Amino acid sequence: MLEQFAEETLRLFDEERLHKIKPLDPYAVIEKCLGVPYDWKFITPDQSILGFTASNDGYFWAWPEPRYRVGMIPEPIPVEKNEIVIDSTLTNDSGKRGRENFTVMHEVFHQLLGHPYSVNVTQMILAGDDHPIDQYSLRMYQRCEIQANRAAADFLMPRALLTRLFYEESGERKLALGYLDARRAVSQLAKGFQTSFDAMQIRLEDLQLLYRPEDYDLPQVGATSPEV
């Protein structure tokens, strides 16, 4: 089971994180659980790819700046097999710490779960390979991306701890999406778990702690009115 695997990985890294919120250095996870090199570069000029894992020793094309300017060209950067590269825009902006944490853990689980398809397809994109990707490889790539996302969420926001803290924040009730009390709870939990607002909201929806009012006929009792 993917969630069990993610929580076992968390237990190996720091068992206390299953029971309480602690500051996270995602690169310490790389060092302890993988022991592979990592680096920060401007991977694309539009941030369409925020992280990747090198499938072999070689080179990839990195950009000198985070935004394209006329005349700008990328330069070849050497990478080692299994090296994780994270886009520098995530590390240069403290407001993106949550997204950085998720991106790093996403790449970690690609390796822990043995995902060759995701790695290979991403490298084809980075290399500018204009050969069409066959449908089987594309389906496997999409499956690997979903699995890495789920495992990263399970690791960063473990079910039991998140559920307990959510109910403490919400007053022992589920909350409706779009309402101020729901947004406040998501924001507070995202800050505590060091994730982005979007990642936390998706996780709480997956755990059925947040719900969409349109899916039910009954309004939420005591909910604050939606923002306008």
Side-chain angles (χ1 to χ4, degrees), residues 6-7 9-26 28-29 32 97 101 105 152-162 164-165 189-195:
E7 291 194 353
T9 303
L10 181 56
R11 183 173 287 106
L12 173 66
F13 173 66
D14 184 353
E15 187 169 3
E16 276 192 325
R17 294 186 63 84
L18 285 167
H19 310 292
K20 69 176 184 178
I21 292 177
K22 298 176 63 177
L24 174 68
D25 177 2
V29 182
K32 185 170 184 177
R97 183 59 188 271
N101 289 345
M105 292 313 307
D154 292 336
F155 181 98
L156 293 168
M157 300 165 277
R159 178 188 296 263
L161 176 60
L162 179 57
R164 174 170 63 81
L165 295 181
L189 290 167
K191 181 178 179 180
F193 282 86
Q194 302 164 78
T195 66

Side-chain angles (χ1 to χ4, degrees), residues 86-157:
I86 300 299
D87 194 86
S88 292
T89 59
L90 297 182
T91 62
N92 293 346
D93 184 347
S94 60
K96 294 182 179 179
R97 183 59 188 271
R99 196 165 188 183
E100 180 184 7
N101 289 345
F102 198 95
T103 300
V104 173
M105 292 313 307
H106 176 99
E107 295 303 325
V108 166
F109 278 105
H110 272 318
Q111 294 201 41
L112 291 177
L113 294 169
H115 283 169
Y117 287 97
S118 186
V119 169
N120 292 340
V121 170
T122 300
Q123 297 237 159
M124 288 173 64
I125 295 170
L126 287 171
D129 192 332
D130 57 4
H131 289 85
I133 301 171
D134 65 89
Q135 288 301 306
Y136 177 76
S137 293
L138 182 59
R139 286 195 301 272
M140 290 301 295
Y141 168 78
Q142 293 169 338
R143 179 181 178 184
C144 290
E145 289 298 297
I146 291 171
Q147 289 181 344
N149 281 339
R150 292 298 300 271
D154 292 336
F155 181 98
L156 293 168
M157 300 165 277

Side-chain angles (χ1 to χ4, degrees), residues 43-226:
I43 300 174
T44 61
D46 61 359
Q47 289 73 60
S48 57
I49 295 176
L50 295 176
F52 75 93
T53 298
S55 60
N56 50 261
D57 294 343
Y59 294 83
F60 84 99
W61 294 96
W63 293 80
E65 298 178 16
R67 292 288 183 268
Y68 178 75
R69 290 186 294 104
V70 175
M72 185 188 298
I73 58 173
E75 59 180 358
I77 302 294
V79 288
E80 300 178 28
K81 182 178 181 180
N82 294 328
E83 182 173 349
I84 293 175
V85 180
I86 300 299
D87 194 86
S88 292
T89 59
L90 297 182
T91 62
N92 293 346
D93 184 347
S94 60
K96 294 182 179 179
R97 183 59 188 271
R99 196 165 188 183
E100 180 184 7
N101 289 345
F102 198 95
T103 300
V104 173
M105 292 313 307
H106 176 99
E107 295 303 325
V108 166
F109 278 105
H110 272 318
Q111 294 201 41
L112 291 177
L113 294 169
H115 283 169
Y117 287 97
S118 186
V119 169
N120 292 340
V121 170
T122 300
Q123 297 237 159
M124 288 173 64
I125 295 170
L126 287 171
D129 192 332
D130 57 4
H131 289 85
I133 301 171
D134 65 89
Q135 288 301 306
Y136 177 76
S137 293
L138 182 59
R139 286 195 301 272
M140 290 301 295
Y141 168 78
Q142 293 169 338
R143 179 181 178 184
C144 290
E145 289 298 297
I146 291 171
Q147 289 181 344
N149 281 339
R150 292 298 300 271
D154 292 336
F155 181 98
L156 293 168
M157 300 165 277
R159 178 188 296 263
L161 176 60
L162 179 57
T163 299
R164 174 170 63 81
L165 295 181
F166 173 84
Y167 280 128
E168 289 179 6
E169 183 71 30
S170 70
E172 300 298 324
R173 60 191 174 91
K174 297 182 180 182
L175 299 175
L177 282 166
Y179 286 75
L180 291 176
D181 47 4
R183 291 185 61 83
R184 186 163 45 245
V186 173
S187 181
Q188 285 297 110
L189 290 167
K191 181 178 179 180
F193 282 86
Q194 302 164 78
T195 66
S196 68
F197 182 95
D198 289 344
M200 178 57 69
Q201 180 169 295
I202 291 170
R203 178 63 167 156
L204 292 172
E205 284 189 79
D206 286 344
L207 295 178
Q208 298 182 3
L209 296 172
L210 292 179
Y211 68 90
R212 298 181 180 276
E214 61 267 26
D215 294 337
Y216 297 86
D217 293 331
L218 296 175
Q220 185 190 34
V221 176
T224 307
S225 298

